């Protein structure tokens, strides 16, 4: 039906006749000459209809925005004074000689020139996706997945599908359940990830597996979460952590070079402990130069319980952030930051302004100075490397509260003071704790199939609180791109982990019996990693939400305005599934 895409027409086509299909982006009538900007997924081209062809001109006069048409015309160069350098087709225009209107468009429910609500954009997503910015993002995403597939297949990975209807397993979020008609009263679960199946594939001798796969998690949503999302999932046999990190780092570097012309360089390594201590996050944004500095040892003896209490508590923390030239902050602005850290459980935010570092204690300004002597104040200034014009902001509470609140404050200050340096700052975070302890119960920090680093089952059970896992996360600009680990391939070690997590033999057999059985039959060492494709494309395109790089996402309430899903099932469907629903209460 067409010879070319609109956005592909350039000066090399001058003198040729082309046939194009697309949508009317804009129509202008300039005194008998009609100009139409025709758009398809590749871009926009200008078409001119003039009075020399009155029948075609009359047809062009009917055109309105978003009419779907086919036109034929001759490509000609624009006069030099009319060249549009902002368009890839700006050197040429097409003299329209034929026009067919495929379909007309009613008045649009979306305004192309204004910001529409997300609810409207998702309800009319097929219109929203016509916008060049959205079309370009989806095309970019397709090219990313193509580049990833080529890289992995060139490196020996096999694309193997895993089941969508599977068994519920604890992986950190609620499962989406699917009732079985043939096994009434029983349920499948939609996979939170292909974790167990890809491990079984390694035990099957597939050696290197990958899949660009849908995953499902029934959890509260935010900008980078969706009930269904896409992973670049991979697993390898006979590769250790270093091997997996090397090959996946090469993949991401190759992707950025090919898609953006960006050389990410070698990724630095940082331990989890160092990341939490310096940045208050296990996915630190290294573009932000601000760091948390521990000062508890300097404040143990001060007559100020806000500081001395946490400073003398083994589970407490006192940390400071130096904000360069932050002494200009008003009391109102400081109060706003105090409210901000309160979101994370902090009870307050102490501060010291450094008006003149040369004057020592006399050059400082703060309500808390009455509790500090010159020696302590000088030590704090020296440790934080504060200079004249800076401000020091302090968090003092439990280790968790201080780390989370000051880590979040660090990010906010970095944005507010325009401190971010560089475009891309990747890194690997390694040496994660094997477990986290909540209310006396151990939980897997990654998942229960992660191997401890260089520990036997007996050594792990003897001191689980201090065990490190053989896990690794790839971070870019404060976003976790992907995470993975060396997996447990020894049944005794896997059973030890289940025991520490409070999963007894009966429960382990019920939930993971097929995995435990597979470990008996010559299971090989294996390791893998999964990337969040949506997050990766979001970062690469500069979008602010993964919803803007997905074709048909859900809202923040996990609903689809386009299809009005979820919706009630009809009585016959429920009867077939032996399910009764509870009437919804009013209000």
């Amino acid at each position: 039906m067409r010879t070319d895409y609109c956005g592909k027409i350039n000066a090399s086509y001058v003198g040729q006749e082309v046939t194009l299909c697309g949508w009317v982006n804009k129509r202008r009538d300039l005194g008998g000459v009609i100009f139409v900007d025709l758009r398809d997924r590749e871009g926009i081209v200008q078409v001119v209809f003039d009075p020399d062809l009155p029948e075609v001109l009359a047809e062009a006069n009917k055109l309105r925005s978003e009419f779907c048409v086919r036109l034929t015309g001759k490509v000609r160069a624009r006069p030099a004074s009319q060249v549009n350098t902002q368009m890839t087709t700006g050197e040429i225009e097409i003299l329209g000689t034929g026009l067919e209107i495929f379909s007309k468009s009613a008045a649009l429910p979306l305004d192309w020139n204004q910001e529409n609500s997300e609810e409207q954009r998702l309800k009319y997503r097929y219109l929203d996706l016509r916008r060049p910015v959205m079309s370009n993002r989806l095309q970019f995403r397709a090219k990313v997945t193509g580049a990833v597939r080529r890289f992995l297949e060139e490196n020996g990975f096999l694309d193997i599908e895993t089941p969508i209807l599977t068994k519920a397993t604890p992986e950190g979020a609620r499962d989406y359940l699917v009732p079985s008609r043939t096994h009434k009263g029983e349920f499948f679960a939609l996979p939170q990830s292909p974790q167990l199946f890809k491990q079984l594939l390694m035990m099957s001798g597939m050696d290197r597996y990958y899949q660009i796969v849908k995953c499902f998690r029934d959890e509260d949503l935010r900008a980078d979460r969706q009930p269904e999302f896409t992973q670049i999932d991979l697993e390898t046999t006979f590769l250790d952590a270093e091997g997996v990190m090397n090959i996946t780092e090469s993949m991401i570097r190759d992707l950025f070079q090919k898609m953006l012309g960006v050389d990410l360089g070698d990724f630095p390594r940082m331990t989890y402990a160092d990341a939490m201590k310096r940045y208050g996050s296990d996915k630190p944004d290294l573009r932000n130069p601000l760091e948390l500095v521990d000062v508890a040892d300097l404040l143990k003896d001060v007559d100020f319980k806000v500081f001395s209490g946490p400073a003398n508590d083994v589970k407490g923390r006192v940390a400071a952030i130096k904000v360069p030239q932050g002494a200009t902050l008003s009391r109102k602005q400081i109060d706003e930051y105090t409210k901000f850290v309160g979101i994370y459980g902090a009870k307050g935010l102490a501060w010291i302004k450094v008006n003149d570092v040369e004057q020592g204690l006399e050059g400082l300004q703060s309500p808390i100075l009455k509790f500090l002597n010159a020696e302590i104040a000088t030590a704090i200034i020296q440790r934080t490397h504060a200079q004249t014009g800076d401000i020091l902001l302090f968090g003092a509470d439990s280790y968790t509260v201080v780390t989370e609140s000051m880590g979040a404050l660090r990010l906010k200050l970095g944005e507010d003071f325009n401190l971010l340096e560089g475009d891309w700052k990747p890194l690997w975070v390694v040496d994660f704790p094997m477990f986290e302890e909540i209310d006396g119960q151990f939980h897997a920090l990654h998942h229960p199939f992660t191997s401890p680093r260089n520990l036997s089952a007996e050594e792990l059970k003897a001191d689980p609180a201090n065990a490190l896992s053989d896990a690794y996360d790839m971070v870019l600009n404060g976003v976790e791109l992907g995470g993975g680990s060396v997996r447990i391939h020894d049944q005794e070690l896997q059973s030890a982990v289940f025991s520490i997590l409070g999963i007894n033999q009966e429960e382990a057999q019920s939930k993971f019996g097929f995995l435990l059985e597979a470990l008996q039959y010559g299971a090989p060492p294996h390791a893998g990693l999964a990337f969040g494709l949506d997050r990766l494309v979001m970062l690469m395109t500069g979008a602010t939400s993964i919803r803007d790089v997905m074709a048909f996402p859900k809202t923040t309430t996990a609903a689809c305005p386009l299809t009005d899903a979820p919706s009630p099932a009809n009585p016959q469907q429920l009867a077939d599934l032996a399910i009764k629903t509870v009437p919804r209460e009013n209000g």
Side-chain angles (χ1 to χ4, degrees):
M1 296 181 74
R2 64 186 172 195
T3 61
D4 298 276
Y5 284 106
C6 298
K8 299 292 188 181
I9 309 300
N10 56 38
S12 68
Y13 283 74
V14 171
Q16 297 182 30
E17 185 175 83
V18 294
T19 299
L20 306 176
C21 297
W23 288 265
V24 174
N25 195 67
K26 186 184 295 183
R27 172 189 172 277
R28 306 180 300 283
D29 188 339
L30 302 180
V33 178
I34 295 176
F35 290 84
V36 171
D37 289 345
L38 191 67
R39 185 192 72 244
D40 61 18
R41 78 174 198 191
E42 298 296 332
I44 296 174
V45 67
Q46 178 173 282
V47 184
V48 182
F49 298 93
D50 67 27
D52 290 343
L53 295 171
E55 292 183 3
V56 179
L57 182 68
E59 195 71 5
N61 196 46
K62 300 175 184 177
L63 297 179
R64 297 293 183 271
S65 292
E66 297 309 305
F67 277 29
C68 186
V69 304
R70 175 172 63 180
L71 64 85
T72 300
K74 191 171 185 178
V75 181
R76 65 187 187 186
R78 293 195 196 189
S81 61
Q82 297 178 18
V83 170
N84 185 345
T85 58
Q86 303 303 309
M87 298 172 60
T88 57
T89 61
E91 292 183 292
I92 58 91
E93 63 185 10
I94 298 173
L95 177 62
T97 58
L99 177 63
E100 178 183 358
I101 298 175
F102 288 137
S103 61
K104 299 179 179 180
S105 174
L108 297 179
L110 297 181
D111 189 334
W112 253 230
N113 299 313
Q114 296 183 18
E115 289 294 323
N116 300 284
S117 71
E118 187 169 66
E119 186 79 13
Q120 284 292 98
R121 289 178 56 206
L122 296 184
K123 182 175 177 62
Y124 299 99
R125 190 62 162 181
Y126 47 88
L127 295 178
D128 187 48
L129 293 179
R130 289 185 192 173
R131 295 191 301 128
V133 63
M134 294 301 297
S135 176
N136 291 341
R137 286 171 180 164
L138 288 192
Q139 290 182 65
F140 186 92
R141 179 182 176 126
K143 292 174 183 176
V144 166
T145 58
V148 166
R149 289 185 187 279
R150 286 189 292 274
F151 179 92
L152 291 174
E153 288 167 7
E154 288 169 2
N155 282 275
F157 286 81
L158 303 177
D159 182 1
I160 304 176
E161 294 180 346
T162 53
I164 293 298
L165 294 176
T166 183
K167 184 182 180 69
T169 56
E171 292 193 38
R174 288 182 294 270
D175 290 305
Y176 277 100
L177 298 180
V178 180
S180 170
R181 180 185 60 81
T182 53
H183 301 276
K184 289 182 170 57
E186 298 183 350
F187 296 82
F188 295 103
L190 301 182
Q192 295 185 35
S193 77
Q195 181 62 48
L196 297 183
F197 287 104
K198 66 180 182 180
Q199 289 189 240
L200 292 173
L201 284 171
M202 296 303 96
M203 299 175 198
S204 305
M206 294 299 101
D207 193 64
R208 293 190 178 191
Y209 139 95
Y210 88 93
Q211 191 179 185
I212 297 178
V213 60
K214 281 287 188 183
C215 302
F216 307 87
R217 293 178 186 173
D218 185 7
E219 59 186 347
D220 295 331
L221 308 181
R222 53 181 185 265
D224 61 346
R225 293 286 174 90
Q226 280 281 290
E228 53 179 317
F229 57 96
T230 306
Q231 279 187 183
I232 303 169
D233 199 50
L234 57 92
E235 196 80 6
T236 67
T237 304
F238 308 123
L239 275 186
D240 57 13
E242 194 69 24
V244 173
M245 292 165 71
N246 286 339
I247 199 166
T248 53
E249 179 177 322
S250 294
M251 183 184 80
I252 295 300
R253 289 177 59 185
D254 179 74
L255 187 65
F256 270 74
Q257 185 66 59
K258 288 179 177 176
M259 299 297 298
L260 299 178
V262 170
D263 182 2
L264 292 177
D266 294 331
F267 294 13
R269 309 286 176 91
M270 181 180 299
T271 66
Y272 171 89
D274 200 23
M276 299 302 287
K277 179 180 179 181
R278 295 171 59 189
Y279 303 108
S281 171
D282 61 358
K283 47 181 184 293
D285 186 347
L286 297 187
R287 296 173 302 166
N288 184 338
L290 301 182
E291 295 192 20
L292 281 61
V293 179
D294 285 306
V295 292
D297 59 307
L298 304 177
L299 299 165
K300 288 185 175 182
D301 298 324
V302 299
D303 189 19
F304 184 42
K305 290 185 178 179
V306 170
F307 279 173
S308 61
N312 287 284
D313 187 342
V314 292
K315 294 185 178 181
R317 185 177 188 186
V318 184
I321 295 177
K322 179 194 73 175
V323 186
Q325 299 305 302
T328 56
L329 285 175
S330 67
R331 185 57 188 265
K332 181 180 179 182
Q333 289 173 308
I334 294 173
D335 288 344
E336 289 299 317
Y337 286 124
T338 303
K339 290 179 183 178
F340 176 78
V341 295
I343 298 171
Y344 300 88
K347 301 179 182 66
L349 186 67
W351 54 273
I352 297 176
K353 289 185 178 182
V354 184
N355 295 326
D356 188 343
V357 74
E358 299 297 332
Q359 293 187 22
L361 190 61
E362 296 300 318
L364 306 180
Q365 175 188 349
S366 172
I368 67 170
L369 290 178
K370 57 188 175 183
F371 302 109
L372 308 180
N373 57 39
E375 182 181 355
I376 293 174
T378 299
I380 291 173
I381 295 299
Q382 290 176 345
R383 183 170 296 182
T384 57
H385 302 288
Q387 300 295 320
T388 298
D390 297 345
I391 190 172
L392 298 175
L393 301 174
F394 296 84
D397 209 304
S398 70
Y399 180 89
T400 299
V401 167
V402 170
T403 302
E404 290 183 359
S405 62
M406 297 299 279
L409 179 62
R410 170 184 172 267
L411 295 178
K412 183 169 178 55
L413 290 166
E415 292 179 359
D416 291 352
F417 282 79
N418 297 314
L419 297 175
L420 301 190
E421 303 169 346
D423 296 323
W424 304 103
K425 290 292 181 71
L427 79 154
W428 286 105
V429 178
V430 297
D431 290 350
F432 286 84
M434 185 74 180
F435 306 104
E436 57 182 341
E437 191 172 359
I438 303 174
D439 297 328
Q441 173 64 49
F442 285 113
H443 300 265
L445 197 67
H446 274 75
H447 56 63
F449 318 108
T450 298
S451 178
R453 181 185 290 276
N454 302 323
L455 291 176
S456 67
E458 290 304 316
E459 290 170 329
L460 180 65
K461 287 189 289 187
D463 189 14
N466 292 308
L468 296 180
S469 67
D470 211 351
Y472 34 84
D473 281 1
M474 183 188 290
V475 177
L476 180 64
N477 292 2
V479 175
E480 180 192 328
L481 285 188
S485 66
V486 173
R487 322 303 188 187
I488 296 170
H489 69 280
D490 175 77
Q491 189 182 43
E492 182 184 1
L493 186 56
Q494 185 65 76
S495 296
V497 170
F498 287 157
S499 175
I500 292 167
L501 295 175
I503 301 173
N504 60 38
Q505 287 187 337
E506 182 179 353
E507 184 182 2
Q509 195 62 39
S510 171
K511 292 180 177 179
F512 311 110
F514 58 96
L515 176 68
L516 295 174
E517 184 173 10
L519 290 174
Q520 300 178 68
Y521 303 113
H526 56 289
L529 186 145
F531 289 100
L533 175 64
D534 311 296
R535 290 184 190 177
L536 176 61
V537 177
M538 178 186 74
L539 278 179
M540 296 181 77
T541 59
T544 57
S545 166
I546 62 171
R547 293 189 291 278
D548 280 338
V549 296
M550 302 171 78
F552 299 104
K554 305 294 188 291
T555 65
T556 53
T557 60
C560 176
L562 174 65
T563 61
D564 196 28
S567 58
N570 66 53
Q572 185 58 52
Q573 288 175 310
L574 294 176
D576 290 343
L577 296 168
I579 287 177
K580 288 184 178 180
T581 59
V582 177
R584 185 182 301 172
E585 295 182 4
N586 293 330

